[in-house]
Amino acid sequence: MIVHQFVCFCLWLLGDLMLTQQLPWPNPYLKQISSPPTVNDETEMISVMEGDSVTLHTDEIQTSRLIMWTFRLNSSETVIVEIYKQIISIYDSSDNERFRGRLKIDEKTGSLTITNITTLHSGLYKVQVTNERVKHRSFNIAVYGMLTVPVIIRDSSSSSSSSNCSLVCSAVNVSDVTLSWYKGISVLSSIRVSDLSISLSLPLEIQCLDDSYSCVLNNAISNQTTHLDNISHLCQPCEESSQTPLLLLSLLLLLALITVLVVLFFCRRREYIQAKQDAQTNEEEVDYTDATFIKHRSPDTEADGRDQTVYSEVALRKLSFRL
C-alpha cells in the first residue's frame, strides 16, 4: 500500500514537472485536463530590417491557463516561452543561444517582443492560448539584412571589343536580394539570390557612358543605388548627339513657317475687308430725268388755230448703280 502511494506521488510530481519544461505542444498531460475546442487563425506575414524590434500580439488578456510560444525553422520546432497560471518561463539559456537576451513578454497580454532581431530569427512563430478554448496564431517573420551600396568597377579582363566598355556591379554579404542594371527606368539585366551571406556580381557592356545607367541592389523593403554619373572615369563619355541641334532647328523652321502662314492669312483678310469697304464708298447715285411733253390749248388762240402756249411736265426717276 505504501509503495503504491509512493508511486502515485512520483507520477504526480513528474506530471507537474512536465508542465514547466520545454516540451513541444500538444502536451499529453494537459490534454487529459481538458479538451477545449480549437480555433486556427491564418498566418501573418511580417518583414523587418535587421536590428529592429518586432512584437507578436496574442490579442488576449492574461487570464488564460496556458500560453505557449514556439519557433519553427525548417522541420525543427522549439518552445521559447511558456506562461502557465501567470508564471512566465523564457527559454533563452545556453540551450537556445539564438534568442539569448532578446525575448520579452507582456505580462498582461502574453504578447512576445523580439529585440535587436537578426536574420537568424527569420522563421515561423506560433502561439497557443488555452482557456475555454484553444486558440492558435502564426507569424512568419522575414528579417532582411542592411543593404550595402553596390560597387561598380571596370572589367579589364573582358575580351569584348576595345571600342566597348565592360563593367561589373557587385555586392557582398547579401541574402534574399536582387541586383539589377538599369538604363533610366528600364531593366537591362538582373540576378536574384536567396542564399545567406554570399557575393553577387552582374556584368554590363556599353558603348559609351552617360548618366542614365545605374546599378540597384534591393530586397522587399529597401534598396541601394549607384549611378554611373558618379564614376564617369570608368568609360569614355558619350559624345553629344547631333540629333538635338537638328531637332531644335526643325522646330524653329516649323515655327517660322506657321508664323508666315498666320501673317499671310491676316494680310489677305485685311485686304478683303479693305476692298469691301472701298466698294461701298465708290457706290454713287445718278439722277436722270425723263421728260414728257403735254400740249395745252390756251383759251386765247390765234386766228389761224395754232397753239399760243406749250407746257411740259417733267417726271424724275432715281437710279443707283456701283462703279
Side-chain angles (χ1 to χ4, degrees), residues 28-99:
Y29 179 75
L30 292 177
K31 291 188 68 175
Q32 291 179 3
I33 296 177
S34 61
S35 299
T38 300
V39 177
N40 294 317
D41 289 341
E42 294 183 357
T43 300
E44 180 179 348
M45 308 299 294
I46 300 176
S47 299
V48 294
M49 288 294 296
E50 189 173 17
D52 292 344
S53 296
V54 61
T55 299
L56 310 179
H57 298 279
T58 62
D59 295 334
E60 298 286 338
I61 301 299
Q62 180 56 294
T63 58
S64 304
R65 230 180 321 174
L66 177 66
I67 296 179
M68 183 178 292
W69 285 96
T70 62
F71 170 69
R72 183 180 182 87
L73 181 63
N74 299 325
S75 59
S76 176
E77 188 167 5
T78 306
V79 177
I80 55 177
V81 175
E82 188 180 59
I83 307 174
Y84 179 65
K85 294 182 178 179
Q86 300 185 356
I87 299 175
I88 301 175
S89 300
I90 300 177
Y91 304 112
D92 59 352
S93 60
S94 58
D95 296 335
N96 197 354
E97 291 287 344
R98 186 190 304 266
F99 294 100

Side-chain angles (χ1 to χ4, degrees), residues 306-321:
R306 291 179 300 173
D307 293 333
Q308 183 180 2
T309 304
V310 177
Y311 300 92
S312 65
E313 293 181 358
V314 179
L316 297 179
R317 296 179 180 179
K318 189 176 183 179
L319 176 63
S320 298
F321 61 92

Side-chain angles (χ1 to χ4, degrees), residues 50 71 81 167 184-185 209 262 269 281 293 310:
E50 189 173 17
F71 170 69
V81 175
L167 303 173
I185 60 174
L209 178 65
V262 171
R269 181 175 177 82
T281 304
F293 297 93
V310 177

Side-chain angles (χ1 to χ4, degrees), residues 9 20 40 51 83 91 101 119 164 187 189 198 213 224 286 305 322:
F9 178 73
T20 58
N40 294 317
I83 307 174
Y91 304 112
T119 54
N164 293 339
V187 179
S189 61
I198 71 167
Y213 292 96
Q224 291 284 359
V286 178
R322 183 178 301 169

Side-chain angles (χ1 to χ4, degrees), residues 211-239:
D211 57 4
S212 63
Y213 292 96
S214 61
C215 183
V216 179
L217 179 68
N218 71 285
N219 55 28
I221 56 179
S222 64
N223 66 79
Q224 291 284 359
T225 302
T226 299
H227 293 277
L228 273 180
D229 58 352
N230 297 328
I231 45 178
S232 57
H233 62 279
L234 293 178
C235 297
Q236 180 68 26
C238 296
E239 296 181 359

Side-chain angles (χ1 to χ4, degrees), residues 236-299:
Q236 180 68 26
C238 296
E239 296 181 359
E240 293 186 3
S241 175
S242 59
Q243 294 181 355
T244 301
L246 289 177
L247 180 60
L248 181 59
L249 180 60
S250 300
L251 291 176
L252 291 176
L253 290 176
L254 180 61
L255 181 61
L257 179 60
I258 293 175
T259 303
V260 171
L261 292 177
V262 171
V263 171
L264 288 176
F265 172 78
F266 281 103
C267 289
R268 294 295 300 273
R269 181 175 177 82
R270 184 177 179 180
E271 291 176 359
Y272 171 77
I273 295 174
Q274 185 66 37
K276 185 177 180 180
Q277 292 176 350
D278 293 342
Q280 292 176 351
T281 304
N282 293 332
E283 183 178 315
E284 296 181 356
E285 294 182 354
V286 178
D287 297 335
Y288 69 95
T289 60
D290 186 5
T292 302
F293 297 93
I294 303 175
K295 294 181 178 182
H296 297 274
R297 182 179 296 274
S298 173

